[in-house]
């Protein structure tokens, strides 16, 4: 079993058994695992981030109509299916890690309509691992009581990102 398969198995176990799972008790009873795209090595990158000259706090709308505050930190550029694209990276205002909310052309048909998320980690040389195989649905995809930041317009791609989590299975989504 490779690292991605181990990660996915642990995540499924968390969703099924952990009291902090976003699933309701009724959903956990019928939960048989998240749906994932097959691993796509073409969507794993080690990228430099173009840090913004002025990193400022911004608010992102959430799925419940609230707002969440982040620091607009920098931009990454990469290529998907021969097209150059860019996404804005956000930093936590509380000193956490780096947050990459995004939407792509799979939203609403293959993946959650409200977008997906990715946490990215710095490498010792200053570049960042951006592995879309780890892209995940926000908790509000599974339970409407969660409030999730919505990807801003600047992070809406016109290409498909076929990696990471897919739409939840109909048998247990939002029960």
């Amino acid at each position: 079993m490779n690292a991605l398969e181990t990660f996915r198995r642990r995540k499924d176990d968390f969703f099924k058994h952990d009291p902090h799972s976003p699933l309701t008790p009724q959903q956990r009873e019928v939960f048989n695992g998240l749906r994932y795209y097959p691993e796509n090595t073409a969507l794993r990158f080690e990228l430099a981030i173009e840090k913004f000259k002025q990193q400022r706090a911004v608010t992102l709308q959430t799925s419940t109509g609230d707002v969440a505050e982040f620091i607009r930190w920098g931009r990454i550029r990469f290529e998907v299916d021969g097209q150059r694209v860019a996404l804005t990276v956000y930093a936590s205002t509380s000193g956490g890690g780096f947050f990459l909310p995004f939407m792509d052309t799979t939203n609403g048909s293959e993946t959650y309509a409200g977008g997906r998320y990715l946490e990215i980690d710095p490498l010792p040389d200053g570049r960042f691992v951006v592995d879309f195989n780890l892209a995940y649905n926000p908790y509000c995809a599974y339970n409407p009581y969660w409030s999730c930041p919505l990807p801003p317009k600047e992070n809406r791609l016109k290409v498909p990102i076929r990696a990471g989590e897919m739409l939840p299975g109909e048998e247990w989504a939002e029960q």
Side-chain angles (χ1 to χ4, degrees):
M1 180 178 308
N2 69 27
L4 181 62
E5 292 168 334
T6 300
F7 172 82
R8 289 174 172 181
R9 182 169 288 166
R10 287 181 181 154
K11 185 162 191 174
D12 285 349
D13 186 63
F14 168 80
F15 268 60
K16 177 80 174 173
H17 301 290
D18 196 286
H20 297 100
S21 167
L23 302 181
T24 65
Q26 296 83 9
Q27 288 171 313
R28 287 199 303 263
E29 285 179 19
V30 296
F31 177 75
N32 290 319
L34 296 170
R35 295 178 58 227
Y36 300 98
Y37 286 102
E39 184 171 11
N40 185 342
T41 56
L43 290 172
R44 184 190 185 283
F45 305 93
E46 293 181 3
L47 302 170
I49 293 184
E50 302 165 20
K51 289 174 71 173
F52 293 130
K53 289 180 183 173
Q54 292 190 346
Q55 296 170 341
R56 58 182 170 81
V58 296
T59 55
L60 300 180
Q61 288 295 128
T62 70
S63 58
T64 58
D66 295 324
V67 294
E69 191 170 280
F70 292 90
I71 297 169
R72 194 170 173 272
W73 201 78
R75 183 165 289 122
I76 56 172
R77 296 179 193 280
F78 55 101
E79 196 171 292
V80 177
D81 294 334
Q83 293 187 38
R84 298 278 306 152
V85 296
L87 291 170
T88 297
V89 174
Y90 295 85
S92 169
T93 57
S94 60
F98 294 94
F99 178 57
L100 186 59
F102 70 96
M103 295 181 82
D104 64 275
T105 61
T106 67
N107 295 129
S109 58
E110 299 173 34
T111 62
Y112 177 59
R116 291 183 289 161
Y117 298 162
L118 190 60
E119 269 91 40
I120 62 172
D121 298 313
L123 294 166
D125 67 2
R127 293 177 302 146
F128 282 73
V129 174
V130 179
D131 187 350
F132 287 99
N133 293 290
L134 301 175
Y136 63 95
N137 294 320
Y139 282 0
C140 55
Y142 308 106
N143 185 329
Y145 295 106
W146 287 89
S147 182
C148 306
L150 301 173
K153 287 182 182 179
E154 64 188 350
N155 279 11
R156 297 180 184 182
L157 301 174
K158 295 180 183 192
V159 296
I161 301 292
R162 288 193 171 94
E165 286 182 28
M166 298 176 73
L167 278 171
E170 292 180 21
E171 69 277 8
W172 58 267
E174 293 189 38
Q175 290 184 11

